[in-house]
């Protein structure tokens, strides 16, 4: 017989939202809380150095290592989808960029009949978590557990990029999380003392001594136990044995945009016809589970740099070795920065109410942003190694995909079909973004640094050519959301208080509940969603 223990609250998933929930719910010593995480503990020190994110992101460490199904609008390419599998979830492996999104994102949510989700409603939740070490103005919090700081890098091309934006007629923006999102500037980051500050470090480690909080790692959830229309507990495996945890009050699924719908489906909550295909008894027919998948697609433009001032010089093996030591011991040096520090939010048309395109700028070529050995016997041209890269993509894509089961076995990954660039709207927005980016790079500020356009290359010019290039090269920005949509329509999975429709005592709290994707990087909004869910539970709403 499986062992059984009873808790007030069970949280499935110790990711960006789950860590917040565990902290807030266990603050009351009368609450007995269980936090289940399928991955392990985030103990590898290399993951804390921001510059190493790119390489470690590709590894299977702390990572579900998912891949999409062949994408029909991207030449049937299967795209890599890393998702965090450790305490802290994807905040343990992400790019640490802190972007809340545009105020119009949340106002649209409220206009969809979701009270409590306007920008003015969610701003206190953002501020509650945030502990910004430099910004002291009204939009920001300074006392929260999540340390946020300004960009730390010093490469001169970061300022050249912003200067080019000004020459192209765009506003400068010192704070993408301030009153206005539009413009050119540098991102803020969840970095503390030169090291990654994941939600595990921010919200879990400081409360490790709470006796009313149990954290189990390598605990794979099999299903939510539902009886008489109410979530009664969770069945999970841990240390090779099957366990059942009973919930006196609520179960909250915070497993992310891939695993949250998977867990609901495995529990018999979802489209009845799909469940039957896998021999799963439908508990509650909820057709929207796994649907409404949205993600930010983007493309990479790259240019030669005619001066040897890019990150390539800093990534020489001898220099990087010292930088690793310097970063680990003293929290300073190149390894404590993230390469995509500068960016922009711009409009493809002047009549838009908010920016529809995001740019990430890196003072290096992706192919040369790697460890390399100096060769004193070979002197390549500067442009062979030095360059800069821009990632360009729409922030409000129309294309929609789905997460579906591949098997009734919880150990098997689900099917991911993102349908990137499915719509003409998305393709035209991408093309507009490419053309605007070219105009920016052709500004006088770049004259002393700009070499050849390497990708897509000047020969790729017509709309038809650009579409074909996008089909062959476009990729994800790793921001999947929306698969347990919040709303009131037939495709909605949770209501405005994140309660699963038709099942008492069950909520979902993570980026999967977004009805419409936020404008920009999605980690900060996921943390805010965790705060909002805790607020609803503690206020018995």
């Amino acid at each position: 017989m499986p062992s059984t223990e009873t808790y007030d609250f069970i949280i499935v998933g110790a990711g960006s939202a789950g860590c917040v929930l565990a902290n807030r719910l266990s603050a009351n010593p009368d609450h007995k809380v269980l936090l289940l995480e399928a991955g392990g503990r985030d103990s590898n020190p290399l993951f804390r150095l921001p510059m190493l994110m790119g390489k470690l992101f590709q590894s299977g460490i702390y990572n579900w290592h998912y891949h999409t199904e062949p994408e029909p609008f991207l030449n049937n390419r299967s795209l890599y989808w890393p998702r965090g599998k450790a305490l802290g979830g994807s905040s343990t492996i992400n790019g640490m960029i802190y972007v809340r999104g545009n105020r119009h994102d949340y106002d649209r949510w409220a206009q969809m009949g979701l009270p409590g989700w306007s920008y003015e409603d969610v701003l206190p939740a953002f501020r509650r978590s945030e502990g910004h070490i430099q910004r002291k103005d009204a939009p920001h919090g300074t006392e929260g557990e999540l340390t946020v700081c300004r960009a730390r890098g010093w490469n001169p091309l970061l300022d050249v990029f912003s200067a080019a934006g000004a020459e192209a007629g765009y506003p400068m923006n010192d704070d993408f999380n301030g009153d206005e999102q539009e413009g050119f500037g540098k991102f803020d980051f969840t970095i503390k003392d030169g090291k990654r500050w994941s939600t595990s470090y921010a919200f879990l480690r400081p409360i490790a001594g709470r006796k009313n909080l149990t954290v189990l790692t390598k605990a794979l959830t099999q299903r939510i136990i539902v009886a008489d229309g109410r979530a009664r507990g969770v069945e999970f495996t841990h240390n090779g044995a099957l366990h059942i945890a009973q919930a006196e009050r609520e179960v909250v699924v915070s497993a992310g945009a891939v695993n949250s719908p998977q867990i609901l489906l495995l529990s018999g909550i979802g489209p009845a016809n799909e469940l039957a295909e896998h021999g799963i008894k439908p508990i509650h027919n909820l057709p929207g589970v796994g649907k409404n998948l949205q993600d930010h697609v983007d493309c990479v433009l790259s240019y030669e740099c005619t001066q040897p001032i890019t990150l390539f010089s800093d990534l020489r093996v001898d220099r990087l070795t010292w930088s690793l030591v310097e970063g680990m011991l003293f929290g300073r040096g190149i390894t404590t920065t993230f390469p995509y520090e500068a960016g922009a939010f711009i409009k493809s048309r002047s009549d838009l109410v908010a920016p529809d395109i995001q740019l990430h700028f890196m003072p290096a070529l992706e192919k040369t942003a790697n460890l390399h050995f100096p060769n004193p016997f070979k002197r390549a041209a500067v442009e062979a190694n030095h360059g800069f890269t821009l990632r360009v993509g729409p922030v409000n894509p129309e294309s929609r995909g789905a997460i579906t089961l591949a098997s009734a076995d919880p150990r098997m990954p689900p099917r991911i079909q993102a349908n990137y660039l499915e719509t003409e709207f998305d393709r035209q927005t991408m093309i507009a973004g490419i053309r605007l980016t070219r105009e920016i790079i052709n500004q006088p500020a770049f004259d002393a640094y700009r070499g050849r356009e390497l990708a897509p290359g000047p020969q790729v010019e017509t709309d038809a050519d650009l579409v074909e290039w996008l089909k062959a090269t476009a990729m994800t920005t790793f921001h999947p959301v929306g698969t347990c949509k919040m709303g009131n329509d037939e495709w909605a999975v949770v209501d405005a208080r994140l309660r699963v429709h038709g099942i008492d005592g069950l909520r979902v709290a993570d980026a999967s509940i977004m009805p419409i994707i936020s404008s920009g990087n999605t980690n900060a909004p996921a943390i805010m969603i965790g705060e909002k869910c805790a607020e609803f539970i503690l206020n018995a709403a």
Side-chain angles (χ1 to χ4, degrees), residues 253 255-265 269 286 288-294 403 481-487 491-495 498-501 507-515:
V253 180
V258 177
N259 296 98
S260 283
Q262 181 190 26
I263 290 168
L264 293 183
L265 293 169
I269 303 168
L286 206 55
V289 174
K291 307 304 187 289
N292 192 51
L293 172 61
Q294 301 160 60
I403 304 291
V481 307
T483 51
C484 296
K485 173 187 173 183
M486 176 171 56
W491 295 104
V493 176
V494 300
D495 67 11
L498 307 185
R499 298 169 295 203
V500 174
H501 289 297
R507 302 192 201 227
V508 178
D510 53 38
S512 71
I513 65 92
M514 291 188 185

Side-chain angles (χ1 to χ4, degrees), residues 41-80:
R41 297 191 175 273
D42 53 338
S43 55
N44 188 325
L46 292 180
F47 276 81
R48 302 211 60 213
L49 289 177
M51 183 60 74
L52 299 188
M53 172 264 170
K55 277 299 176 188
L56 297 173
F57 202 56
Q58 300 299 322
S59 75
I61 306 171
Y62 301 156
N63 193 341
W64 287 97
H65 221 259
Y66 289 135
H67 290 79
T68 71
E69 297 294 297
E71 289 295 331
F73 308 98
L74 298 183
N75 290 350
N76 288 317
R77 290 182 291 126
S78 176
L79 271 59
Y80 176 48

Side-chain angles (χ1 to χ4, degrees), residues 20-38:
V20 175
L21 274 163
N23 184 300
R24 303 302 187 228
L25 297 182
S26 66
N28 184 336
D30 293 333
H31 294 163
K32 189 178 180 182
V33 180
L34 173 65
L35 178 62
L36 298 173
E37 170 55 44

Side-chain angles (χ1 to χ4, degrees), residues 266-279:
L266 291 170
S267 306
I269 303 168
N273 59 329
E274 293 183 20
L275 298 174
E277 291 176 7
H278 297 284

Side-chain angles (χ1 to χ4, degrees), residues 130-350:
E130 185 183 19
H132 208 296
I133 61 176
Q134 287 121 349
R135 303 189 192 279
K136 310 297 182 183
D137 51 353
H140 293 281
T142 59
E143 303 299 324
E145 296 89 342
L146 185 74
T147 298
V148 181
C149 68
R150 290 174 177 266
R152 299 163 54 89
W154 54 87
N155 188 280
L157 286 175
L158 300 173
D159 293 328
V160 170
F161 171 71
S162 290
E167 290 174 343
Y170 297 100
M172 293 296 95
N173 193 335
D174 182 60
D175 183 7
F176 293 129
N177 300 305
D179 292 333
E180 295 294 335
Q181 188 186 51
E182 184 180 10
F184 278 64
K186 295 177 183 178
F187 296 112
D188 284 358
F189 291 86
T190 51
I191 295 174
K192 182 177 183 179
D193 298 328
K195 297 184 177 66
R196 172 189 298 275
W197 198 242
S198 70
T199 54
S200 170
Y201 274 81
F203 296 100
L204 282 189
R205 291 188 177 230
I207 62 168
R210 287 183 185 171
K211 298 185 183 304
N212 62 326
L213 173 63
T214 300
V215 180
L216 294 182
T217 57
K218 299 186 178 179
L220 181 64
T221 295
Q222 309 290 298
R223 64 185 180 100
I224 308 299
I225 300 169
V226 179
D228 300 323
R230 184 176 185 85
R232 304 290 181 178
V234 175
E235 183 179 281
F236 64 97
T237 56
H238 184 245
N239 291 334
L242 184 66
H243 301 263
I244 292 175
Q246 296 180 344
E248 290 286 345
R249 294 181 61 176
E250 294 197 36
V251 175
V252 185
V253 180
S254 296
V258 177
N259 296 98
S260 283
Q262 181 190 26
I263 290 168
L264 293 183
L265 293 169
L266 291 170
S267 306
I269 303 168
N273 59 329
E274 293 183 20
L275 298 174
E277 291 176 7
H278 297 284
I280 298 172
K281 180 183 177 181
I283 299 296
H284 179 55
N285 182 33
L286 206 55
V289 174
K291 307 304 187 289
N292 192 51
L293 172 61
Q294 301 160 60
D295 189 16
H296 288 138
V297 64
D298 73 355
C299 60
V300 173
L301 275 66
S302 59
Y303 292 80
E304 293 177 337
C305 183
T306 57
Q307 297 192 33
I309 59 171
T310 72
L311 295 178
F312 180 79
S313 300
D314 297 304
L315 298 177
R316 214 174 72 181
V317 65
D318 53 339
R319 294 177 181 174
L320 188 60
T321 300
W322 165 244
S323 295
L324 289 170
V325 174
E326 188 180 29
M328 291 300 297
L329 294 182
F330 308 113
R332 62 174 186 250
I334 191 67
T335 59
T336 69
T337 68
F338 182 66
Y340 282 102
E341 287 200 307
F345 290 90
I346 63 176
K347 298 176 182 179
S348 64
R349 305 192 319 270
S350 60

Side-chain angles (χ1 to χ4, degrees), residues 510-521:
D510 53 38
S512 71
I513 65 92
M514 291 188 185
I516 302 172
I517 194 168
S518 59
S519 299
N521 311 72

